């Protein structure tokens, strides 16, 4: 009788653990919107969460160390006139965050180093180009100041944030609501899923379809997808009988999935988070109370179930910490920020190791904050691999974060333009007023003459 051989993997015993209560962020009214985005974004400096706000949309940005109860009057970022649907920190500057909203706009904000002292209402840059609400944001992984947005007008726009302009507009490919949009590792391709039941790989600069797969999952509920190692694609969706599924695809041969696994019958859309350093993908469902994780390898069956972190309370959203924000001396390979109804709870994923030494096999060189190509060069066709950093001594920013150069000049030009147009407008108003005055005088004169004539007759 053959014994079943257990697959060896250093991630087989990864376990998730919620932090102690005093390390959570309490008394935060998380947004009640039903939109399927993460509602949370984190980096080594800040955690940002979309919150309930009356008369528009708002999100809160807290320094990572500001745990405990958050005062009701704590300042927020509240410049949008409609509810906020998505937020994402810039990977190349930890103080820059983008937000998108039901008011059809995308705004870029600069958060001061210690966090907010007063509420922010004026963005550094406002990007307008969508005609319906904007629900998806994604910064380019290697190009500086390139941002992708996707709206309910079925349009994907690539922005040069430094210039505040839309450079590429992909508006004829998606025939229905876009469910997800993401970049590959070097940002040379975009992957989208859509309500028209098609998963597409696009050339971002030409706006053309490189390959597509109809019905990656048979069910009619939303499909999510991310690029994993070697530009393979991992998708989550539903079967015809509403069972949740996870599948792995090779874009070179889209006919059949490399593997397709059925998970359970819950209704929440599974949001995938992939870690390219370890090959582990984490699936978090909105409304679930668990995080499943799988290892993606190059040999069949390709996607190996590792384990599951479970808790009692369901999650309303999830933030995923970049690798450089983790504690390497504690063998932490991932950290999530789970949103409850009234709080945010960090969850730490750890590989159990006895040694306190740096574990090189767990922490290969990872993507750093330095962009490898400028926006203009990238839009002209230049691709570049991410610049990697070592985590051996923990991440320390050696150079000043890549500055958002345009801020001052952009603001000057826009304010100057606004002032000039205001002057023009005031000039126009003056001349119009003069014309109206002259007309009134002419009318009064006519009325006077008519009444004189009438009195003579």
């Amino acid at each position: 009788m053959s014994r079943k051989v257990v697959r060896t993997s250093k991630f087989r015993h990864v376990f998730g653990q919620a932090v102690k209560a005093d390390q959570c962020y309490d008394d935060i009214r998380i947004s009640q919107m039903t939109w399927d985005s993460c509602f949370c974004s984190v980096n080594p400096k800040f955690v940002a969460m979309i919150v309930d706000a009356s008369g528009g949309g708002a999100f809160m940005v807290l320094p990572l160390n500001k745990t405990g109860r958050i005062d009701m009057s704590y300042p927020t970022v509240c410049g949008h006139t409609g509810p906020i649907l998505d937020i994402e920190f810039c990977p190349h500057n930890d103080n820059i965050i983008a937000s998108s909203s039901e008011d059809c706009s995308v705004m870029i904000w600069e958060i001061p180093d210690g966090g907010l002292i007063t509420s922010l209402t004026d963005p550094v840059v406002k990007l307008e180009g969508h005609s319906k609400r904007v629900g998806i944001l994604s910064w380019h992984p290697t190009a500086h100041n390139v941002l992708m947005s996707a709206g309910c007008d079925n349009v994907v726009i690539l922005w040069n944030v430094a210039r505040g302009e839309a450079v590429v507009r992909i508006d004829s490919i998606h025939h229905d609501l876009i469910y997800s949009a993401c970049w590959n590792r070097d940002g040379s391709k975009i992957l989208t899923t859509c309500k028209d039941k098609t998963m597409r790989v696009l050339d971002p600069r030409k706006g053309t379809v490189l390959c597509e797969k109809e019905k990656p999952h048979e069910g009619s509920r939303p499909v999510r997808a991310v690029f994993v190692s070697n530009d393979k694609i991992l998708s989550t969706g539903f079967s015809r009988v509403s069972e949740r599924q996870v599948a792995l695809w090779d874009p070179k041969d889209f006919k059949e999935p490399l593997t397709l696994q059925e998970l359970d019958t819950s209704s929440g859309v599974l949001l995938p988070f992939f870690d390219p350093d370890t090959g582990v993908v984490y699936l978090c469902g909105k409304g679930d109370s668990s995080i499943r994780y799988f290892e993606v390898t190059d040999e069949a069956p390709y996607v190996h179930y590792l384990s599951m972190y479970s808790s009692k309370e369901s999650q309303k959203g999830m933030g995923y910490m970049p690798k450089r924000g983790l504690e390497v001396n504690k063998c932490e390979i991932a950290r999530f920020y789970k949103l409850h109804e009234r709080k945010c709870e960090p969850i730490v994923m750890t590989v159990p190791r006895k040694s306190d030494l740096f574990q090189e096999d767990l922490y290969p060189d990872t993507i750093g904050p330095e962009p490898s190509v400028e926006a203009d060069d990238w839009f002209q066709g230049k691709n570049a691999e991410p610049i990697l950093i070592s985590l051996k001594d923990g991440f320390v920013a050696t150079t000043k974060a890549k500055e958002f150069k345009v801020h001052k000049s952009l603001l000057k030009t826009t304010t100057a333009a606004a002032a000039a147009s205001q002057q023009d407008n005031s000039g126009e108003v003056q001349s119009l007023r003069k014309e109206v005055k002259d007309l009134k005088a002419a009318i009064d004169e006519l009325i006077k003459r008519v009444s004189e004539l009438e009195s003579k007759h």
Side-chain angles (χ1 to χ4, degrees):
M1 196 174 92
S2 65
R3 261 173 57 220
K4 190 178 177 186
V5 179
V6 176
R7 185 179 151 270
T8 57
S9 165
K10 55 192 166 208
F11 304 112
R12 213 156 60 86
H13 301 292
V14 169
F15 67 96
Q17 199 170 24
V19 299
K20 290 178 180 154
D22 61 347
Q23 290 173 282
C24 295
Y25 307 86
D26 285 314
D27 234 11
I28 298 165
R29 290 175 304 155
I30 301 301
S31 171
Q32 300 293 315
M33 289 292 294
T34 53
W35 189 253
D36 278 327
S37 73
C38 296
F39 281 23
C40 181
S41 184
V42 289
N43 66 26
K45 275 189 185 175
F46 301 108
V47 53
M49 296 154 278
I50 302 176
V51 294
D52 256 348
S54 51
F59 63 94
M60 194 177 268
V61 182
L62 301 170
L64 280 191
N65 57 9
K66 189 172 174 56
T67 52
R69 189 178 168 279
I70 306 300
D71 197 276
M72 289 280 280
S73 58
Y74 194 85
T76 57
V77 182
C78 50
H80 285 283
T81 54
I84 292 172
L85 300 178
D86 200 8
I87 49 175
E88 190 171 359
F89 276 111
C90 175
H92 308 128
N93 185 334
D94 289 341
N95 295 64
I96 299 295
I97 187 168
S99 61
S100 67
S101 160
E102 281 199 356
D103 64 12
C104 310
S105 71
V106 175
M107 293 184 183
I108 311 296
W109 309 87
E110 187 162 19
I111 309 297
D113 265 341
L116 296 177
I117 300 159
T118 57
S119 287
L120 265 186
T121 52
D122 295 321
V124 177
V125 187
K126 186 174 181 181
L127 307 172
E128 292 177 306
H130 286 283
S131 58
K132 289 189 180 175
R133 58 187 184 164
V134 188
I136 299 167
L137 288 176
S138 184
W139 288 94
H140 194 286
T142 62
H144 190 217
N145 287 346
V146 176
L147 178 69
M148 166 170 62
S149 65
C152 295
D153 47 7
N154 313 336
V155 175
V156 175
I157 297 180
L158 304 186
W159 304 89
N160 182 336
V161 175
R163 300 178 186 279
E165 63 186 23
V167 183
V168 178
R169 189 180 171 88
I170 305 171
D171 54 8
S172 58
I173 288 171
H174 301 95
H175 311 302
D176 211 328
L177 180 69
I178 299 166
Y179 285 140
S180 70
C182 69
W183 304 91
N184 65 344
R185 187 175 168 86
D186 68 353
S188 59
K189 293 174 188 164
I190 289 174
L191 170 64
T192 64
T193 59
C194 180
K195 199 174 179 179
D196 62 12
K197 296 191 177 179
T198 307
M199 183 164 72
R200 299 174 174 89
V201 179
L202 311 177
D203 180 317
R205 286 163 287 217
K206 293 176 185 164
T208 53
V209 178
L210 299 172
C211 54
E212 61 183 22
K213 171 67 185 171
E214 281 185 36
K215 288 196 176 177
H217 298 271
E218 291 289 332
S220 56
R221 308 225 38 242
V223 171
R224 292 296 176 117
V226 288
F227 281 109
V228 292
S229 310
N230 306 324
D231 272 0
K232 288 191 175 69
I233 291 167
L234 183 125
S235 65
T236 64
F238 294 81
S239 70
R240 204 169 268 156
V241 291
S242 289
E243 280 184 307
R244 292 201 292 195
Q245 298 176 322
V246 57
L248 190 71
W249 305 86
D250 186 346
K252 295 177 189 124
D253 180 15
F254 249 155
K255 287 193 190 88
E256 290 296 319
L258 295 170
T259 179
L260 179 86
Q261 297 179 24
E262 294 192 336
L263 302 175
D264 58 20
T265 53
S266 291
S267 59
V269 175
L270 285 167
L271 309 176
F273 298 91
F274 179 67
D275 177 0
D277 302 340
T278 57
V280 176
V281 66
Y282 303 86
L283 302 183
C284 311
K286 264 202 154 180
D288 285 13
S289 53
S290 61
I291 302 171
R292 284 185 179 81
Y293 32 108
F294 299 78
E295 190 174 358
V296 181
T297 60
D298 293 330
E299 301 89 39
Y302 302 106
V303 178
H304 309 269
Y305 175 73
L306 290 171
S307 188
M308 179 163 75
Y309 163 79
S310 294
S311 61
K312 288 174 185 167
E313 289 187 71
S314 62
Q315 54 231 20
K316 292 181 71 67
M318 196 65 83
Y320 180 59
M321 175 67 83
K323 216 46 180 286
R324 57 195 173 89
L326 303 180
E327 292 191 46
V328 292
N329 57 343
K330 292 183 180 170
C331 295
E332 182 184 3
I333 61 161
R335 192 188 312 152
F336 289 92
Y337 284 73
K338 173 180 170 178
L339 302 185
H340 300 246
E341 209 151 303
R342 299 281 304 191
K343 74 170 179 177
C344 172
E345 175 186 48
I347 292 160
V348 176
M349 299 286 177
T350 312
V351 176
R353 295 269 169 104
K354 285 180 179 167
S355 169
D356 290 339
L357 299 172
F358 179 71
Q359 307 291 312
E360 287 190 27
D361 60 329
L362 297 183
Y363 302 104
D365 287 357
T366 191
I367 296 171
E370 194 65 31
S372 47
V373 59
E374 285 299 319
D376 292 337
D377 298 334
W378 183 81
F379 280 116
Q380 282 162 19
K382 184 182 175 186
N383 288 324
E385 284 293 317
I387 295 172
L388 303 181
I389 55 168
S390 168
L391 294 177
K392 188 159 188 176
D393 303 313
F395 170 68
V396 181
T398 46
T399 53
K400 194 175 180 298
K402 191 79 176 166
E403 214 184 330
F404 216 55
K405 291 178 194 160
V406 293
H407 284 183
K408 316 295 184 281
S409 60
L410 231 184
L411 284 175
K412 275 177 196 162
T413 51
T414 47
T415 35
S421 70
Q422 218 169 358
Q423 279 180 346
D424 293 351
N425 289 351
S426 61
E428 275 179 47
V429 169
Q430 293 291 337
S431 62
L432 280 169
R433 277 191 179 143
K434 192 172 180 299
E435 279 179 41
V436 169
K437 207 173 175 184
D438 294 348
L439 274 170
K440 270 187 178 172
I443 289 165
D444 289 344
E445 187 64 33
L446 277 169
I447 291 168
K448 195 176 167 191
R449 286 182 65 185
V450 167
S451 56
E452 278 175 7
L453 283 167
E454 278 177 342
S455 63
K456 276 179 188 174
H457 288 297

